[in-house]
Amino acid sequence: GAVVSQHPSWVICKSGTSVKIECRSLDFQATTMFWYRQFPKQSLMLMATSNEGSKATYEQGVEKDKFLINHASLTLSTLTVTSAHPEDSSFYICSAIKREGLDEQFFGPGTRLTVL
Amino acid sequence: ELKVEQNPLFLSMQEGKNYTIYCNYSTTSDRLYWYRQDPGKSLESLFVLLSNGAVKQEGRLMASLDTKARLSTLHITAAVHDLSATYFCAAPSYSGGGADGLTFGKGTHLIIQP
């Protein structure tokens, strides 16, 4: 199988606080992980590409200082939303590519962030 | 910049009918993906199409890819209520290869009525 987990599945925080979201590949090694954001009733938007042991590559318009990404191992990437504001409320979904195969991305279950 | 366009964006159909969702993309890519999303859930992979002329079928769904026309289709045969969901197509954002993040279409919200 190819299972990707995310934690937490949902989080509510106050404006100005930071929130960390974890993305783990449970049964495979992932050299590359991706972070997407989905606003209600909209499509997924790629935020950044995360490669193990190197700096993440951010898409145009995504603030790297606000969305900190760390890919510390071949099975874990984290996204930290710093100084969160209500407009950051969204569904954050990660995906991972197997080290030995580039044909498919495996998506996590998503994390719903609500900033009050 | 890659653009992925789906149509229709909304589709209401009756059980037992057939219909096709279209996905056009603007730059060269050798692969195309289809996903299903249920409300409040993440994505479920439906099809991975990796070459021109690729055709895959799973149950009442069939997907095809024409890389020359930059067109993929998702065909629904004899629709049933359980197929009600939002369907997304996606293509690699940059090089067209498997190591890219994906650019998604806006999604087709499908409602199948008894």
Side-chain angles (χ1 to χ4, degrees), chain A residues 74-91:
Chain A
L74 286 172
T75 59
L76 173 64
S77 176
T78 60
L79 168 68
T80 301
V81 184
T82 62
S83 186
H85 288 94
E87 57 266 30
D88 299 322
S89 298
S90 187
F91 194 40

Side-chain angles (χ1 to χ4, degrees), chain A residues 36 38 43 59 97 102 105 108, chain B residues 37 42 45 94 98 100-102 105:
Chain A
Y36 297 86
Q38 184 179 32
S43 187
E59 296 300 302
I97 294 176
L102 301 180
Q105 291 188 23
Chain B
Q37 187 177 39
S42 186
S45 178
Y94 298 106
D100 278 0
L102 299 177

Side-chain angles (χ1 to χ4, degrees), chain A residues 24-101:
Chain A
R24 293 182 186 271
S25 55
L26 298 185
D27 51 2
F28 65 97
Q29 292 186 325
T31 49
T32 303
M33 290 182 169
F34 303 94
W35 288 95
Y36 297 86
R37 179 169 55 184
Q38 184 179 32
F39 292 110
K41 299 190 185 301
Q42 294 189 23
S43 187
L44 281 76
M45 297 291 292
L46 178 65
M47 298 177 67
T49 301
S50 169
N51 290 297
E52 186 263 339
S54 62
K55 290 185 178 180
T57 302
Y58 292 82
E59 296 300 302
Q60 192 172 9
V62 178
E63 299 175 58
K64 60 181 66 176
D65 293 332
K66 181 167 186 62
F67 298 100
L68 301 179
I69 292 172
N70 183 272
H71 195 149
S73 75
L74 286 172
T75 59
L76 173 64
S77 176
T78 60
L79 168 68
T80 301
V81 184
T82 62
S83 186
H85 288 94
E87 57 266 30
D88 299 322
S89 298
S90 187
F91 194 40
Y92 292 88
I93 305 173
C94 73
S95 70
I97 294 176
K98 286 184 177 181
R99 188 180 197 178
E100 62 274 16

Side-chain angles (χ1 to χ4, degrees), chain B residues 55-108:
Chain B
V55 177
K56 290 192 175 181
Q57 182 164 3
E58 183 72 36
R60 300 174 188 273
L61 301 178
M62 183 173 70
S64 66
L65 176 62
D66 182 341
T67 58
K68 295 181 180 178
R70 297 176 187 168
L71 171 68
S72 181
T73 61
L74 179 66
H75 186 73
I76 303 159
T77 302
V80 293
H81 178 69
D82 287 351
L83 291 178
S84 297
T86 299
Y87 293 85
F88 292 98
C89 64
S93 298
Y94 298 106
S95 67
D100 278 0
L102 299 177
T103 296
F104 284 80
K106 290 187 176 181
T108 296

